[in-house]
Amino acid sequence: MPIQHRAIQSRQALIRSAAETFLEKGVPASGMVEISRRARLSKGALYFHFTSKDDLTLAVRDSSLIILQEIEDAFTHSPAPLAVAVRDFAVELFSRVEEDAVLRAGLRLRPETAPGLGIYALEQRWYALFLDKAVTCGTGQVSGPTAVGPDAEPRRTAQLLTSIVVGLLHLGGEDGMWWDSEAVTGLWSLLPAAQEPVPAAGLSAPAELPAAG
């Protein structure tokens, strides 16, 4: 195996090992030696790739952001109507969170430890993503007399869908039932009946995911 390929595999193994250890013990209680042993690599190999635990923690964050970007790109290119595309986004997101320890650990990092993955950052990130698609492709809903301007329905629809995804992400951190694809699909089936406009004042502040460190 080429040296460069082995180095890439070693780095990925260390990131995954760190994520698994962070999930079990939290970042403060996770030791570099334990992380290297879990990855079946020497301490020297660990410090070859990462100079400190902070450096390794940021690598977990960066890897999580790469995974999120893949899911978001699939949403952006989806030909489905907005609500259906967001449903599919949520199903894929929660499936990946459950299956991938790196993404799960990244989402549980404290915002000050790994900026960019806090629940508030994700809220704004996904609201912008959903709003862009709503404005570009339409919401798939018929505007009524309650609309106060040409952008009212896209904004309100994007706010509603963002609230649902962020809320389910938080709830699933305590009870995986909320991440089940059938549960998500069942919830989405109720949306067409909810035609009342969502207040445009903004999203309520969501609770934080249980922090790992």
Side-chain angles (χ1 to χ4, degrees):
M1 181 184 298
I3 294 176
Q4 185 178 14
H5 186 60
R6 284 205 305 270
I8 293 173
Q9 284 192 329
S10 295
R11 179 181 174 85
Q12 291 174 338
L14 289 165
I15 291 173
R16 181 161 299 279
S17 174
E20 292 171 353
T21 308
F22 292 168
L23 288 168
E24 288 182 8
K25 298 189 172 183
V27 175
S30 298
M32 295 290 272
V33 173
E34 180 180 7
I35 290 171
S36 64
R37 286 176 178 170
R38 183 190 287 262
R40 298 183 179 180
L41 293 167
S42 67
K43 187 177 178 180
L46 172 58
Y47 281 104
F48 173 80
H49 291 283
F50 305 102
T51 59
S52 65
K53 187 164 66 175
D54 288 343
D55 189 24
L56 184 51
T57 301
L58 289 176
V60 171
R61 181 204 64 174
D62 291 344
S63 296
S64 298
L65 286 171
I66 290 172
I67 297 170
L68 279 181
Q69 189 64 58
E70 293 174 357
I71 301 170
E72 291 166 355
D73 287 346
F75 166 82
T76 300
H77 293 97
S78 171
L82 177 65
V84 175
V86 175
R87 180 202 65 195
D88 295 343
F89 169 86
V91 169
E92 178 64 15
L93 171 66
F94 302 148
S95 174
R96 295 289 290 274
V97 172
E98 280 192 307
E99 295 172 358
D100 197 315
V102 174
L103 179 57
R104 193 161 63 255
L107 291 172
R108 291 189 179 184
L109 292 172
R110 295 182 184 278
E112 62 272 20
T113 301
L117 278 175
I119 201 73
Y120 297 105
L122 293 174
E123 175 188 72
Q124 296 306 314
R125 179 186 180 106
W126 293 337
Y127 172 67
L129 185 70
F130 299 163
L131 179 60
D132 182 68
K133 192 173 185 69
V135 171
T136 303
C137 305
T139 62
Q141 298 178 1
V142 179
S143 298
T146 57
V148 297
D151 68 334
E153 197 64 35
R155 281 191 300 110
R156 291 168 177 171
T157 302
Q159 287 174 340
L160 172 63
L161 295 173
T162 303
S163 297
I164 294 172
V165 173
V166 171
L168 289 174
L169 179 63
H170 172 70
L171 290 169
E174 297 293 339
D175 184 349
M177 176 198 74
W178 295 101
W179 292 347
D180 179 75
S181 61
E182 291 186 5
V184 175
T185 302
L187 176 62
W188 242 258
S189 70
L190 302 176
L191 291 182
Q195 295 296 331
E196 292 298 322
V198 178
L203 297 169
S204 58
E208 290 284 357
L209 284 173

